[in-house]
Structure formats: structure tokens, C-alpha cells
Amino acid sequence: MATIDGRKLDHKALEHMRILAVKRVVEDGEDPSEVMRSLGLCRTSIYPWLRKFREEGWDALVERIAQGPEPKLNEKQRQQVKRWILGKDPRQYGFDFGLWTRRIVQALIEDKMRVELGLTAVGRLLASLDITPQKPLRRAYERDPAAVDLWLKATYPTLRKRAKRLGATIFFLDEAGFQSDPPLGRTYGLKGTPHSRNVRTAPEYQRHQRSHRSWRVLGGYLYRQVERGGILWLSSRTL
């Protein structure tokens, strides 16, 4: 009969087999080796069980799952860490980097709470708070929500009506570009809730980051409407 690997059994199943094996030896007088062979377990495993039973009784055979070390942060402190991160920027706490990392959270906890945590422990803490790594949504500093709302509710409906009257098709022209600096990295945020971060658009970005280069291929709407061959164009200029 093939031997069963006890490490692959769940805790309750292993506890049941441990108690059953000891009972058969202690109460029924069976040979330990035969008991273990009939259960498909390693022959020598029963002897530590018998020794524990003789020293501490049946309670010694009950499965006990190790609880691990005592947490360094209590629940109040854990929730404080969560409040520090959600909706906040590391630069608000004196850091020079705008995205949350485990190392920044580690440094913040040590500075504010005088508690030292390893990076792995910080990762477990964030996961337990439903705070996960996320790629933030890009939002331009120059973005004007009021102007966007006006365009969507007033300007574009008027344009669409005119195109329909002329039997024209509306095309939206966008710009493309490439730059030498690295793209926006990941940060930490509440699970299932995308995090947004403001970034500078090309000309503004170049003024603040002289060490990087960025090229725009096409852009700069002139908003001059040109009717051409049944198509309503929003012309643009090359920059």
C-alpha cells in the first residue's frame, strides 16, 4: 500500500487520523506498525504521537495552527496607515516622489509611529487593508473640468447637428508623441478604485524637466471648421 504524505492532508483530516491511530494502539492493543500501514501513513510518525499522548493526554493530539508573531501595529495604527495613503500624495509628507511604494510606506511608519517593519511585512499590511499596486490614470495639470463639461454638453452637440444637416462625418484628430523619460509608474490605492494623478503635458513638461526630451508629432487644434467632400474637419497644425 502506497504511503500517504501527511503534509498534503488538511489539518482536520490529519488530526482525525492521529487520534484514530493512537486509540487503536492504546485502547485496542494493536501493533503501531500495523496501524500505520493500514492507514497508509509513515510507520515512525505514530511514536511521537504516542509520546505526546502519554505526557499530555488527548488534548496533545488536537491540531493547533501556529498564530505567528504578535503584530507590531494595532488596529488603530493600521487604519491610520490606510488614511495616510488613500487620496494622499507622498509629497504631502515630505517625500520627493509622487507615487506610493512599500519603501515610502515603511519610512512613513517608522517616522510617525517609531515602528520598524520589513518590506515584506509592509506588503502584507497593505494587502490586508485592501490597498493594492495600481497604475494611476493620467490627468493633465491643464485639464479644465468646466471647459470639458461645456464642450460635451454644448459645443459638440451643436457640431453634431451641423454635421448631420450637411450629411458629413465627424473625425477626431489626436496627437502622437514619444519621450525619453520613463512612463508613469505604479502606486498604491484602494482595491478596485483607480487612482488618478496629474501630469504635465508636453510643452509644460519640457519647461519643468530640462533633463528629458519629448517630441510631439501632431496636435494643437485650431478649431477652424472646413467643409471638404462631405467631411467636417477640425484642422490642426504640426508642432
Side-chain angles (χ1 to χ4, degrees), residues 18-176:
R18 185 163 50 236
I19 294 175
L20 177 63
V22 172
K23 278 186 175 182
R24 288 175 59 179
V25 173
V26 174
E27 297 179 358
D28 300 337
E30 296 187 47
D31 180 71
S33 298
E34 288 300 316
V35 170
M36 296 302 280
R37 186 184 63 79
S38 66
L39 294 175
L41 297 174
C42 177
R43 178 183 63 83
T44 57
S45 298
I46 194 171
Y47 297 106
W49 301 346
L50 291 170
R51 184 169 61 253
K52 286 184 177 181
F53 167 74
R54 294 188 184 102
E55 293 174 355
E56 304 175 37
W58 294 109
D59 287 342
L61 303 178
V62 175
E63 186 68 24
R64 293 182 178 85
I65 301 175
Q67 297 300 316
E70 188 71 19
K72 292 186 176 181
L73 299 182
N74 58 39
E75 186 59 29
K76 183 178 179 180
Q77 290 173 315
R78 284 162 40 84
Q79 294 304 317
Q80 179 60 61
V81 173
K82 188 174 185 177
R83 287 192 294 271
W84 283 340
I85 296 174
L86 298 185
K88 303 292 178 57
D89 188 307
R91 291 170 294 189
Q92 295 175 252
Y93 302 101
F95 296 95
D96 57 2
F97 189 58
L99 300 178
W100 288 107
T101 65
R102 291 184 304 167
R103 196 168 296 280
I104 287 179
V105 176
Q106 178 191 46
L108 186 61
I109 292 173
E110 184 173 353
D111 179 60
K112 299 288 188 181
M113 297 180 173
R114 297 294 187 264
V115 176
E116 295 185 8
L117 292 178
L119 289 180
T120 302
V122 172
R124 287 198 298 264
L125 169 64
L126 295 175
S128 69
L129 295 172
D130 281 337
I131 297 176
T132 59
Q134 300 176 6
K135 186 174 182 180
L137 303 175
R138 299 176 69 96
R139 291 288 184 266
Y141 277 113
E142 303 84 353
R143 180 186 176 93
D144 185 344
V148 171
D149 188 63
L150 177 64
W151 193 89
L152 291 173
K153 294 181 178 179
T155 306
Y156 178 64
T158 302
L159 178 64
R160 186 172 55 185
K161 289 178 182 178
R162 185 183 178 196
K164 184 177 181 180
R165 186 175 69 252
L166 296 173
T169 303
I170 299 176
F171 288 87
F172 291 92
L173 184 65
D174 198 1
E175 65 179 350

Side-chain angles (χ1 to χ4, degrees), residues 151 155 220-225 233-236:
W151 193 89
T155 306
Y221 289 126
L222 296 181
Y223 295 103
R224 179 167 57 86
Q225 299 175 1
W233 294 83
L234 293 179
S235 62
S236 62

Side-chain angles (χ1 to χ4, degrees), residues 185-200:
R186 290 183 176 271
T187 187
Y188 277 87
L190 188 63
K191 184 177 181 180
T193 305
H195 174 78
S196 62
R197 181 181 179 219
N198 293 332
V199 296
R200 294 186 177 92

